[in-house]
Amino acid sequence: VKNIVLIGTRYLNLLLLPILIIVFTFSDYIIFTILGSMFISGKLILQLMIINIFIFAISMPLSTQILGSGYSVISAKIGTIMFLLNIILNFLFIPSYFLGYKMLNFGAEGAAFATLISTIVYSLLLRYYSFKIFGTPLKIVQNLLFLIITLSIIFAMFYIKTSFDISGLIEF
């Protein structure tokens, strides 16, 4: 089962990483094409949500491993932590005031950021319990290297995008 989880995670990375990079890099063009110029301000939300979807998707083999092995209580606890953290962060990030206290007032971007943080915590908890229960390797060095390569590719795509200005092809 351990090997199947690792292989599943690897294939999900290979499948979803190009989609992540393309959507993240060209989010403004995607929003313009699908929704129009009125929604260009939602670029950051799309970028945060595509990262969220990527992290959630590559965590699914670990979740399935835990659930499929009869550890539904642990899975429920992890889900509850994610749910409660998301609600708390939403109260912190979205409104300008809550019960008379000043909050961060990030609006929709705050909701996307709160969801991303909750998903990262969810993924880390799944990895921890998968390692603790089944001995599924964490591969910290490999994951950090993967993150560095991914960020380098995104940076290169942004550089190419700004160096060869194609915004003239689309009027915002």
Side-chain angles (χ1 to χ4, degrees), residues 18-19 25 34 41 52 58 65 99 112 114-115 119 126 130 147 169:
I19 296 168
T25 305
I34 295 173
S41 61
N52 178 48
I58 63 172
Q65 179 187 33
L99 298 175
T115 303
T119 302
L126 285 174
S130 183
L147 178 65
L169 300 175

Side-chain angles (χ1 to χ4, degrees), residues 9 12 17 19 34 37 41 52 58 67 70-71 79-81 86 92 108-109 113 115 121-122 127 144-145 147-148 154:
T9 303
L12 281 170
L17 183 61
I19 296 168
I34 295 173
S37 60
S41 61
N52 178 48
I58 63 172
L67 269 173
Y71 292 93
T80 302
I81 290 169
N86 196 6
L92 179 66
E109 289 89 358
F113 192 61
T115 303
V121 169
Y122 173 77
R127 288 188 185 282
L144 285 175
L145 182 62
L147 178 65
I148 291 169
I154 289 173

Side-chain angles (χ1 to χ4, degrees), residues 91-164:
F91 279 118
L92 179 66
F93 291 155
I94 297 173
S96 51
Y97 287 93
F98 180 70
L99 298 175
Y101 293 100
K102 184 162 177 47
M103 297 294 144
L104 296 175
N105 192 25
F106 291 149
E109 289 89 358
F113 192 61
T115 303
L116 178 60
I117 291 171
S118 301
T119 302
I120 290 170
V121 169
Y122 173 77
S123 179
L124 292 172
L125 287 172
L126 285 174
R127 288 188 185 282
Y128 170 75
Y129 280 105
S130 183
F131 173 73
K132 184 177 174 184
I133 297 169
F134 307 107
T136 305
L138 296 175
K139 297 189 175 188
I140 295 172
V141 173
Q142 182 181 9
N143 287 331
L144 285 175
L145 182 62
F146 179 75
L147 178 65
I148 291 169
I149 290 170
T150 303
L151 292 175
S152 299
I153 292 170
I154 289 173
F155 177 75
M157 293 285 285
F158 269 124
Y159 179 75
I160 291 169
K161 180 182 164 190
T162 56
S163 295
F164 303 103

Side-chain angles (χ1 to χ4, degrees), residues 40-53:
I40 291 295
S41 61
K43 173 183 173 180
L44 178 61
I45 298 169
L46 178 60
Q47 290 173 330
L48 292 172
M49 292 311 292
I50 195 67
I51 294 169
N52 178 48
I53 291 167

Side-chain angles (χ1 to χ4, degrees), residues 55-74:
I55 292 170
F56 192 79
I58 63 172
S59 299
M60 281 298 94
L62 298 169
S63 177
T64 304
Q65 179 187 33
I66 292 171
L67 269 173
S69 298
Y71 292 93
S72 57
V73 172
I74 291 175

